[in-house]
Structure formats: structure tokens, C-alpha cells
């Protein structure tokens, strides 16, 4: 029997990092930067007004008040987007709008509220010290500054900063392409009236969601019957030209465990038992002329889900050029539970304010408890009992950062 670490290492040996890709900002949301973003311009790009009002020399409005306004000639308007280079003569004002470039010679803005709103001549009722209501060139970002570091996840604020820095395209980690093949005569698509013995193919829905939430792309999805010939021919030329193939089902000891039967014949896929629960039967290797990496996941839904987190996620990360290691966090057990011992057990838990507790029935067919869970607790092979207050290692669930409700 392999350890979890041994099997993960065997999987990682099957893949190499794909090259980073360049995408326009409109497609960059949620992507992971593969290179620093460097500002192409200063931000602000030029000294400009923070208020609608009048550009002045502060010395010209010293002492202005409501009781004793300062009256100045107005030498025209400067709107945002005005590309002319204005010069403010001493003793006059210019009407200026928010974001409009400051005329040379001006050193302060008097807001329109502190004036009579004059167009050719204005009475100003407020003094303004040097720099008042001005936004200075480069006070936020300097041209050449690294504004976003490689490794940063691009959210709305980050894409806004890149855009303002006049960067139109960014280099991001690639999205590995994944084909998902669910197998089993019993499977029908969601929404189908079920005959006795049939079940819904929830694994392909789950795996497609996990793949997408992990930042990869589903490029092919085929439900397959347990028909060896059809499966063998499909696996010779996998649909979607993926970087990775995932199968579910058919890898255990059953008479109709066709994935194992068909792929064992190729000699390029190993079927092993891994000392973990759930997720013991696993397979991995390469298929087809392209020698595409394949991971064969067990059919039980929770086994497949756990196997994704433990094995597929590190492989997707490696394909994307990222550190494959999936971080764990520590938490306290809010209640005790027993573990199998001799195998690593991945307990589905809910992390609350008082710690982590099992989310319900832990059978490898129980999606109800899975859907409640926020984390997998990793209980090592030497531990058979978790006690309240024990420290446990938690793996976050892929997609847990998405909005979720409760049953
Ligand atoms: N005699 C033994 N039987 C089993 C062993 C064993 O060691 N000896 N291992 C058990 C363990 S552990 C697991 S895990 C499963 C692995 O099963 P398979 O990978 O062979 O998968 P299937 O037999 O095709 O299906 C198992 C189970 O999962 C349901 N299933 C399959 N595909 C889907 C899908 N796409 N969506 C939803 N549910 C699915 C299927 O109906 C079965 O109930 O083997 C144990 N048996
Ligand atoms: O290894 Mo199986 O995954 O326990 O149900
Ligand atoms: Mg089976």
C-alpha cells in the first residue's frame, strides 16, 4: 500500500509546468499573476484638481472670507481631458473641473461652493493654502513601480490598478485543460426520471465544479458506460486535447470495474491502494498517443471529492507553474471523533467559532454531510481518536471562498 505522499509524488512526476499566458485585463479577473505588473505611467499622471472650482495662486486669495471676498478675473475654463498646457497669470483665476490638469503657476484650488460661481469674474470667499485640493503627479504610483507582484490573485481592485497604470495585458498562470470522464452503467444526467437502480452522475458535476473553482478549464466531459471497447477507443484519443484526464468509478475490485480493466491493458497506468480513507483505490499514468496524464478517481462521491483535494489539486497547481503544496491551517477540535488508524483519514468538518467538528455521516457515499463541510481535517495514520481541544490540521475546500448558504 502506498502512502498519500508517495502517491502524490508519483502523480507530480507525470506533469510539467505549462507556460504562462498573456491575457487582456477584461479576461484577467480571478487569474494568478505569473509576472510583476510595472506601472507605465505616474498616478496621478499630472498635477490636477480634486474639486470643481477655481485654480489660483494661494498668495492671490490670502485673507479671502465671506465678509471680505477677493475678486479676480477668470481667464477661461479647464475641463477634465483638456490637453492644452495652460499658464495662470498672477492676479487671475481659471475655472477648473475635478480631474482637469492644473495650469502652470497655480498652487491651490478654491471650490466653487466658496465663490459666487462667476464665469468671467469671480468673488472668492475662502483663502486656500498651497496645495489645497490638489492631486500631485506620482503621489499614488511612480512610473516603473511594481504595482502588483507575481503570485497575486487578480480581483477587481487589482485589475483597476493595472488598467490605471496603463497596462492592458497581464501575464498569468495558465488554466490547465481538463477532460472529465465519469463511468458507470448506473449513471444518468441530473433531472432524468430514475429507474430502480439508476443514480444521477453527480461526480462529473462535482469534478467540473472543482476543476473550475481551482482555476482550471473543463474542455471535455463524457459520461461512459461500462463498455470496455468504447472506453478503450475513447481513451486512445481523449476529447478536448486536455493537459489532464480525470475519470471516476471503475477502479476497485468489481466485475464491472472497466476503467481498471481497460487501462491496465495499456500498461501505462498503475492501479494502487493508498493508505487513506476515503479514497483508497487510485490509479495514474498516461493515455493515448499524446501520452496525456490521467488520474483515475474512485467512484464513491466523497472518495472522489477527497482525492481531488489530495491529489488532483496539487497536480493542477504544478501544471499552472505554482508550488503544488496545498497549505493546511490548524484549528481546535470542538468535539471528539474516532479515526480508522493505519490510514490517513480525511474527516469532513465544519469549522465554527469553537473549533472543528465532523459535518455529519462520514460514509464515502454521503454527499449530505459533504455539502455542509467547510474543511477536510487530516488525521494521520497513527491517530485513532481525536479529543475535544486537540489541534487538528485542516485543508480548505476548493470553492469555499465562493458564497454559500446552509441546508
Ligand atoms: N471488494 C471490494 N469492494 C470495494 C473495495 C475493495 O477494496 N474491495 N473498495 C471500495 C472503495 S474503498 C471504493 S472507494 C470503491 C471504489 O469504487 P470504484 O472506483 O470501482 O467505483 P464504482 O464501482 O464504479 O462505483 C462505486 C460507487 O460510486 C458510485 N458512483 C460511481 N460513479 C459515480 C458518479 N459519476 N456519480 C455518482 N456516484 C457514482 C457508484 O454508483 C457506486 O455506488 O469501491 C469499494 N468497493
Ligand atoms: O477508499 Mo473508499 O474511498 O473508502 O470509499
Ligand atoms: Mg467498483
Amino acid at each position: 500500500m502506498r502512502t498519500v505522499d508517495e502517491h502524490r509524488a508519483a502523480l507530480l512526476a507525470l506533469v510539467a509546468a505549462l507556460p504562462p499566458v498573456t491575457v487582456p485585463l477584461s479576461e484577467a479577473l480571478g487569474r494568478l499573476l505569473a509576472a510583476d505588473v510595472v506601472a507605465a505611467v505616474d498616478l496621478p499622471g499630472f498635477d490636477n484638481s480634486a474639486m470643481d472650482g477655481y485654480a489660483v495662486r494661494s498668495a492671490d486669495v490670502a485673507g479671502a472670507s465671506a465678509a471680505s471676498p477677493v475678486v479676480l478675473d477668470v481667464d477661461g475654463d479647464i475641463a477634465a481631458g483638456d490637453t492644452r498646457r495652460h499658464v495662470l497669470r498672477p492676479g487671475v483665476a481659471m475655472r477648473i473641473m475635478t480631474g482637469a490638469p492644473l495650469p502652470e503657476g497655480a498652487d491651490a484650488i478654491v471650490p466653487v461652493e466658496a465663490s459666487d460661481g462667476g464665469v468671467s469674474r469671480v468673488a472668492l470667499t475662502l483663502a486656500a493654502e498651497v496645495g489645497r485640493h490638489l492631486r500631485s503627479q506620482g503621489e499614488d504610483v511612480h512610473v516603473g513601480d511594481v504595482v502588483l507582484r507575481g503570485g497575486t490573485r487578480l480581483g477587481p481592485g487589482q485589475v483597476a490598478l493595472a488598467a490605471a497604470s496603463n497596462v492592458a495585458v497581464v501575464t498569468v498562470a495558465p488554466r490547465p485543460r481538463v477532460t472529465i470522464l465519469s463511468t458507470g452503467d448506473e449513471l444518468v444526467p441530473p433531472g432524468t426520471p430514475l429507474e430502480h437502480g439508476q443514480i444521477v452522475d453527480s461526480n462529473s458535476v462535482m469534478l467540473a465544479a472543482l476543476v473550475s473553482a481551482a482555476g482550471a478549464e473543463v474542455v471535455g466531459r463524457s459520461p461512459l458506460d461500462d463498455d470496455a471497447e468504447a472506453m478503450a477507443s475513447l481513451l486512445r484519443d481523449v476529447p478536448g486535447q486536455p493537459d489532464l484526464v480525470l475519470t471516476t468509478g471503475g477502479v476497485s475490485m468489481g466485475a464491472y470495474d472497466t476503467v481498471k480493466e481497460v487501462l491496465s491493458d495499456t500498461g501505462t497506468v498503475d492501479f494502487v491502494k493508498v493508505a487513506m480513507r476515503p479514497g483508497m483505490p487510485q490509479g495514474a499514468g498516461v493515455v493515448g498517443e499524446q501520452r496525456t496524464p490521467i488520474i483515475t478517481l474512485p467512484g464513491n462521491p466523497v472518495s472522489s471529492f477527497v482525492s481531488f483535494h489530495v491529489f488532483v489539486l496539487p497536480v493542477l497547481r504544478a501544471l499552472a507553474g505554482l508550488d503544488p503544496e496545498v497549505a493546511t491551517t490548524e484549528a481546535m477540535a470542538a468535539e471528539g471523533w474516532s479515526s480508522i488508524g493505519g490510514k490517513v483519514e480525511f474527516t469532513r468538518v465544519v469549522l465554527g467559532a469553537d473549533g472543528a467538528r465532523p459535518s455529519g455521516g462520514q460514509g464515502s457515499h454521503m454527499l449530505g454531510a459533504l455539502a455542509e463541510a467547510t474543511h477536510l481535517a487530516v488525521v494521520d495514520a497513527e491517530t485513532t481518536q481525536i479529543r475535544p481541544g486537540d489541534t487538528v490540521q485542516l485543508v480548505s475546500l476548493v470553492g469555499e471562498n465562493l458564497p454559500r448558504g446552509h441546508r
Side-chain angles (χ1 to χ4, degrees), residues 249-257 299:
V251 298
S252 192
M253 309 299 288
Y256 306 98
D257 281 340

Side-chain angles (χ1 to χ4, degrees), residues 182-184 186-187 199-204 226 248-254 256-257 273 279-281 297-301 303 364:
S182 52
T183 71
E186 73 276 35
L187 305 177
I199 63 162
V200 171
D201 174 10
S202 56
N203 283 358
S204 66
D226 292 318
T248 72
V251 298
S252 192
M253 309 299 288
Y256 306 98
D257 281 340
K273 289 188 171 178
M280 179 184 68
L297 302 171
N300 279 324
S303 313
S364 61

Side-chain angles (χ1 to χ4, degrees), residues 233-322:
S233 102
L234 185 111
L235 287 169
R236 273 192 292 273
D237 187 15
V238 182
Q241 296 180 307
D243 302 309
L244 177 68
V245 183
L246 299 178
T247 66
T248 72
V251 298
S252 192
M253 309 299 288
Y256 306 98
D257 281 340
T258 318
V259 172
K260 190 175 184 179
E261 178 193 325
V262 166
L263 287 174
S264 294
D265 286 351
T266 65
T268 57
V269 180
D270 292 329
F271 290 90
V272 296
K273 289 188 171 178
V274 179
M276 63 190 282
R277 186 172 84 170
M280 179 184 68
Q282 299 284 343
V286 295
V287 282
E289 279 182 16
Q290 311 294 323
R291 298 185 64 77
T292 308
I294 183 168
I295 301 177
T296 67
L297 302 171
N300 279 324
V302 181
S303 313
S304 212
F305 183 87
V306 168
S307 304
F308 183 95
H309 286 80
V310 179
F311 300 125
V312 181
L313 188 58
V315 166
L316 292 177
R317 290 179 59 83
L319 280 168
L322 308 172

